[in-house]
Amino acid sequence: MTFVAKGLLLAIQLCTNLFYFQSFSFENRAPAENTLGWIAIIIPVIGGLLVGVMARWGSKAIRGHGIPEAMENILQRDSRIPRRITLLKPLSSAIAIGSGGPFGAEGPIIATGGALGSWIGQVLPVSSYERKILLASGAAAGMAAIFGTPLSAVMIAIELLLFEFRAKSFVPVALATVIAATLRGLFIGSESFFQMPPLGETGVTQLLVFLGFGVVMGLLCIIVTKSIYWIEDAFEKLPIHWMWWPALGGLAVGIIGLVEPRSLGVGYGNISLSLSGSLTVGAAASILVWKFLSWALALGSGTSGGTLAPLLTLGASFGFIVGTGLTMLFPEWNIDPHAMALVGMAALFAGSSRALLTAVIFALEGTKQPVGLVPLLGCCSIAYVVSSLLMKNSIMTEKIVRRGLEVPHEYYPKPGAAKN
């Protein structure tokens, strides 16, 4: 999976260079660096058209985040994913992101890894249960290969894919992520995925602020999730075939990209800027507003791309803004804007996806900031509770619940269930 992840990253870079710089190159350049002017508006439209065509005549399953589709295959299809998804999903995602789509690579690589694991499970004489483990192992290995976060990759498999917590399920997943993370160090790099200055210890005052911030983040999770599906419902009412929707979403992405170029593309650098405090409050607010609008419109249009990077970007930007504001208004509280950005990043992910432990561990592994454990656990837990109480489904499960599937939320056996 490390080689697949590296291939996806190279494909995104190639598409970015082809679309925005008209060069056949794998150089790591951001769409925001382009000098095309207003002509850049049409590039996400072209990308959307290509994805729409691939979805119409290739496979409709390439549309969407990636993780909900993997969950649906586990719950409804005995973990059988069509083999063509192994190629079409990363290709469509590379085109969507490379043409300016405001998505991350993590959802597509999780979907691709899951498809590869499912394909192996269809070739080998294994049971549907063993095929589920292979699917989850491939998905988790893909995430570990991208971010170098093996433990959080195991946790996302447990919380969103396996729907159980048993050693015979997660041990194969753990081994897959260990191998992927080790190979990542050889072929991609071993440094922290997100850079930020060292954090200080959390005192009582700071903890209370973080807990209160968790309530705010829980409400923000609801706003973000509801907005995404409200826009998706609006696209459903359009009197044109869904194949054209990604192009309409691309038009919105292109226009917003003229206003705020940093809203284009993956934007992992925006997260590091918020975590390191290298932004002004105005710049962080601009990224927060325009990235959200671009992502919501693009994702609602049914194109191919992930949700994790946008959620992390929004959470980190919002946390940095709040942390900086509190520092200015209440300097005696000693609030660290960097810590607030880190906590906001993880809390928005935790409350929106309902993957609490995944969000906490991912923030720790992605930044290598163990001191952040206390505020992360506190804020993410509060955000999770608020989101769960006020919103029935998560950003990952809303779509498949609408299709009539029942998604497990607890991992203990039901009364009367047979024990393995």
Side-chain angles (χ1 to χ4, degrees), residues 32-375:
E33 300 172 9
N34 81 84
T35 57
L36 297 175
W38 66 268
I39 298 177
I41 292 177
I42 67 172
I43 290 179
V45 178
I46 295 172
L49 284 173
L50 293 174
V51 172
V53 169
M54 292 176 67
R56 176 74 183 274
W57 285 286
S59 174
K60 190 177 179 180
I62 67 173
R63 305 172 71 217
H65 321 189
I67 297 178
E69 290 73 23
M71 297 170 72
E72 183 177 12
N73 280 289
I74 289 173
L75 294 171
Q76 191 177 43
R77 303 187 180 96
D78 290 331
S79 304
R80 296 180 183 273
I81 299 177
R83 298 177 186 179
R84 60 184 179 275
I85 300 300
T86 309
L87 175 63
L88 291 178
K89 184 63 178 180
L91 180 58
S92 63
S93 299
I95 292 173
I97 299 171
S99 61
F103 308 109
E106 64 291 326
I109 195 61
I110 287 174
T112 303
L116 183 59
S118 173
W119 177 74
I120 294 173
Q122 294 175 62
V123 173
L124 299 177
V126 298
S127 65
S128 60
Y129 176 78
E130 292 167 330
R131 192 180 307 114
K132 178 181 74 170
I133 296 175
L134 286 170
L135 187 157
S137 297
M143 180 174 175
I146 289 286
F147 293 109
T149 54
L151 185 54
S152 59
V154 173
M155 291 310 304
I156 200 171
I158 292 174
E159 294 188 298
L160 297 181
L161 297 175
L162 290 173
F163 305 115
E164 60 176 301
F165 189 80
R166 292 190 291 181
K168 72 177 189 177
S169 296
F170 66 75
V171 165
V173 177
L175 293 175
T177 60
V178 165
I179 295 171
T182 302
L183 292 176
R184 177 188 184 274
L186 296 175
F187 297 100
I188 299 178
S190 58
E191 66 279 356
S192 300
F193 197 85
F194 303 113
Q195 302 296 320
M196 66 181 299
L199 300 179
E201 296 289 341
T202 302
V204 175
T205 302
Q206 292 83 39
L207 180 59
L208 292 175
V209 172
F210 285 127
L211 295 179
F213 185 54
V215 177
V216 177
M217 292 307 300
L219 297 175
L220 185 60
C221 293
I222 297 170
I223 294 172
V224 168
T225 302
K226 294 293 185 182
S227 299
I228 291 292
Y229 285 100
W230 182 84
I231 292 174
E232 187 172 288
D233 291 340
F235 271 98
E236 293 283 351
K237 298 175 183 177
L238 292 177
I240 58 176
H241 193 277
W242 56 260
M243 182 185 76
W244 304 104
W245 297 353
L248 292 178
L251 179 60
V253 170
I255 294 173
I256 292 172
L258 281 185
V259 179
E260 175 51 85
R262 288 170 295 194
S263 67
L264 297 170
V266 175
Y268 291 135
N270 295 331
I271 301 172
S272 292
L273 289 175
S274 294
L275 293 174
S276 64
S278 301
L279 290 172
T280 63
V281 171
S286 179
I287 292 173
L288 173 66
V289 172
W290 295 114
K291 183 76 172 185
F292 170 67
L293 288 176
S294 179
W295 169 57
L297 290 168
L299 190 63
S301 72
T303 192
S304 180
T307 58
L308 180 53
L311 287 174
L312 298 178
T313 301
L314 300 179
S317 299
F318 184 70
F320 174 74
I321 294 169
V322 172
T324 302
L326 290 176
T327 300
M328 295 173 61
L329 294 174
F330 308 100
E332 67 277 8
W333 289 0
N334 295 320
I335 301 299
D336 185 355
H338 310 99
M340 193 67 83
L342 176 65
V343 167
M345 175 183 86
L348 189 60
F349 177 36
S352 299
S353 67
R354 305 286 167 77
L356 172 60
L357 293 178
T358 298
V360 173
I361 298 171
F362 176 82
L364 293 175
E365 288 185 303
T367 60
K368 297 185 179 178
Q369 295 282 348
V371 179
L373 177 60
V374 170

Side-chain angles (χ1 to χ4, degrees), residues 159 349-356 384 387-388 391-394:
E159 294 188 298
F349 177 36
S352 299
S353 67
R354 305 286 167 77
L356 172 60
Y384 179 95
S387 171
S388 299
M391 183 172 63
K392 183 178 180 181
N393 301 311
S394 73

